Amino acid sequence: SAIPEELHENPDEDEYEGLYARVTDLSVSDILPEKDRMEPGKKKARTVSAADHHNNRELLRSSDDTMARGDEPLLSQGRPSSDHSDERSIEEEDALLTGQKTQQQRNYGWAFWREVGLFVWAAIATALVILFAVLYSHQQQTSKPTPSGGGWKDGRPTGKRNLIFMVSDGMGPTSLSLTRSYRQAATGLPIDDVLVLDDHLIGSSRTRSTSSLITDSAAGATAFSCGQKSYNGAISVLPNRDPCGTVLEAAKRAGYMTGLVVTTRITDATPACFAAHVNHREEEDRIAEQEVGEHPLGRVLDLMLGGGRCHFLPNTTDGSCRKDDRDVVDLAKKNGFSYVSDRKGFDGLNFGTNVKLPLLGLFAETDIPYE
């Protein structure tokens, strides 16, 4: 039976309050005949009742009726009254009986629309700031003049452009600190005096190679020239022995004149890493051949000044250290190089005013003496 058994035994009105709480847990199909069921969503007031099959007593009353117990309202007590309280009571009663939620219309006040406006304004302001930053960066990159008085045209720099990449082989912060301190003490300079190099310091790099925490000049120069780490002894090749393009080769292909000027052998690891590619630094004979143009890219050097003449002379000649009889000086001349090998030839260059490029100058059999 849809009506609890207690209703039959205790028909007094005092039991209606507890009975209401229990009846509201039932669905409308459990307590109402089909002819008396309320259609979902209707808002007009109606009396909901169920007939007991034994005594036909009234179970529920409309919201305008009062309970026999203290004339208390049937629905929630203490609720503030309003112009729409009766309507809301009917909607809530419908929802309890039908199990369907009431449809309420949300009213958006001034505070809500103010927050929406602030959000939209912040989004537009952020987008404008990003746009102006991108436009300014683009203008700076395409219109900023160079220190030599040049500028930019068609996306390329104009004017005179020279770049000297100086490598002090084996020099680190300790070498600079010793030089700075000695100069201050020997010449009576203040302790805050700095070297010319200090004004040009941009940054530093971690010098470890792929094979050791302590690098050698070959792996270090490969990092300088190719921008990639490799193993100790590598001459512009990667750990898998593939050659890597160097900054000097890129400059040559871009139309620059290129050169190497050293106080060591021109085939030593540091200069070699900019113009040659071999698996190990001891292959100086092969490095010499590549530097004069026997190279996958052809001749990439216009000027070479330094020592290491013994690797350019055939082993049948005095002063040679090559393992074969190949004459690399002769190979250089065939590739268009002019050649000087002593102090007289160097002085004849007249500080560069009497230079015919490409030029090969080898002024010592190995490293150039300090004095």
Side-chain angles (χ1 to χ4, degrees):
S1 175
I3 307 301
E5 191 67 22
E6 291 83 351
L7 181 62
H8 307 295
E9 299 176 359
N10 303 294
D12 296 333
E13 292 182 352
D14 292 342
E15 298 298 326
Y16 278 126
E17 182 175 358
L19 175 61
Y20 173 74
R22 298 178 60 183
V23 170
T24 53
D25 290 336
L26 302 176
S27 65
V28 66
S29 60
D30 292 328
I31 61 175
L32 293 180
E34 183 176 358
K35 66 184 181 64
D36 292 331
R37 293 176 189 171
M38 185 183 303
E39 297 181 11
K42 277 197 172 183
K43 296 186 177 180
K44 77 173 186 174
R46 64 169 62 183
T47 299
V48 180
S49 62
D52 185 274
H53 62 284
H54 293 292
N55 49 24
N56 197 27
R57 293 185 62 88
E58 179 178 352
L59 297 179
L60 299 174
R61 296 174 179 172
S62 68
S63 59
D64 294 331
D65 294 337
T66 58
M67 298 281 296
R69 184 175 179 180
D71 293 332
E72 295 178 352
L74 180 63
L75 294 178
S76 57
Q77 301 180 9
R79 190 159 117 200
S81 61
S82 67
D83 295 338
H84 307 287
S85 60
D86 291 341
E87 183 177 351
R88 285 202 302 268
S89 299
I90 295 173
E91 290 177 353
E92 292 177 359
E93 188 176 344
D94 287 349
L96 288 172
L97 294 175
T98 63
Q100 298 184 6
K101 295 182 179 179
T102 59
Q103 297 181 355
Q104 298 182 358
Q105 182 177 2
R106 294 187 62 182
N107 295 321
Y108 297 102
W110 161 247
F112 172 81
W113 292 112
R114 181 182 62 182
E115 292 180 2
V116 171
L118 289 174
F119 175 79
V120 173
W121 178 86
I124 295 175
T126 302
L128 289 175
V129 169
I130 295 174
L131 177 62
F132 287 142
V134 171
L135 293 176
Y136 177 78
S137 177
H138 177 72
Q139 190 272 340
Q140 289 292 100
Q141 293 178 5
T142 56
S143 302
K144 186 177 180 180
T146 62
S148 61
W152 292 79
K153 182 178 180 181
D154 299 328
R156 296 178 62 87
T158 61
K160 188 175 183 180
R161 294 162 290 146
N162 295 324
L163 173 64
I164 299 176
F165 191 98
M166 186 173 71
V167 181
S168 299
D169 200 344
M171 186 187 71
T174 54
S175 303
L176 288 174
S177 180
L178 176 61
T179 304
R180 192 181 303 109
S181 298
Y182 175 80
R183 180 169 176 265
Q184 293 168 358
T187 60
L189 295 172
I191 60 173
D192 58 349
D193 182 76
V194 296
L195 303 173
V196 175
L197 284 176
D198 293 331
D199 294 332
H200 299 279
L201 178 64
I202 296 177
S204 58
S205 64
R206 293 197 302 175
T207 58
R208 65 163 298 170
S209 67
T210 60
S211 62
S212 175
L213 286 172
I214 302 174
T215 189
D216 75 335
S217 56
T222 296
F224 284 151
S225 63
C226 290
Q228 300 192 57
K229 295 286 190 182
S230 193
Y231 57 91
N232 282 2
I235 303 296
S236 291
V237 294
L238 301 178
N240 62 358
R241 305 306 194 268
D242 286 343
C244 55
T246 73
V247 63
L248 185 142
E249 293 167 345
K252 184 62 179 176
R253 290 176 66 86
Y256 285 83
M257 304 291 284
T258 60
L260 294 174
V261 178
V262 301
T263 58
T264 61
R265 304 179 309 281
I266 199 71
T267 54
D268 192 26
T270 299
C273 283
F274 290 86
H277 304 271
V278 295
N279 290 337
H280 208 274
R281 60 185 300 166
E282 277 79 18
E283 301 178 53
E284 294 190 47
D285 291 354
R286 181 61 184 145
I287 291 171
E289 296 166 1
Q290 291 188 26
E291 288 179 335
V292 298
E294 198 169 86
H295 187 280
L297 299 178
R299 180 175 60 80
V300 296
L301 286 167
D302 299 289
L303 174 68
M304 285 186 286
L305 300 177
R309 185 170 55 236
C310 68
H311 290 286
F312 290 78
L313 300 177
N315 60 5
T316 57
T317 305
D318 291 339
S320 172
C321 57
R322 286 187 65 88
K323 298 178 181 179
D324 57 29
D325 59 354
R326 194 165 192 192
D327 189 342
V328 181
V329 172
D330 184 63
L331 177 62
K333 292 178 180 179
K334 291 180 180 179
N335 288 333
F337 280 91
S338 55
Y339 175 66
V340 294
S341 59
D342 52 22
R343 182 58 185 260
K344 182 180 179 181
F346 179 80
D347 292 341
L349 299 176
N350 195 22
F351 297 101
T353 61
N354 192 27
V355 172
K356 180 184 177 182
L357 298 176
L359 172 65
L360 172 63
L362 302 173
F363 306 106
E365 290 183 0
T366 55
D367 296 336
I368 295 179
Y370 291 110
E371 296 181 358

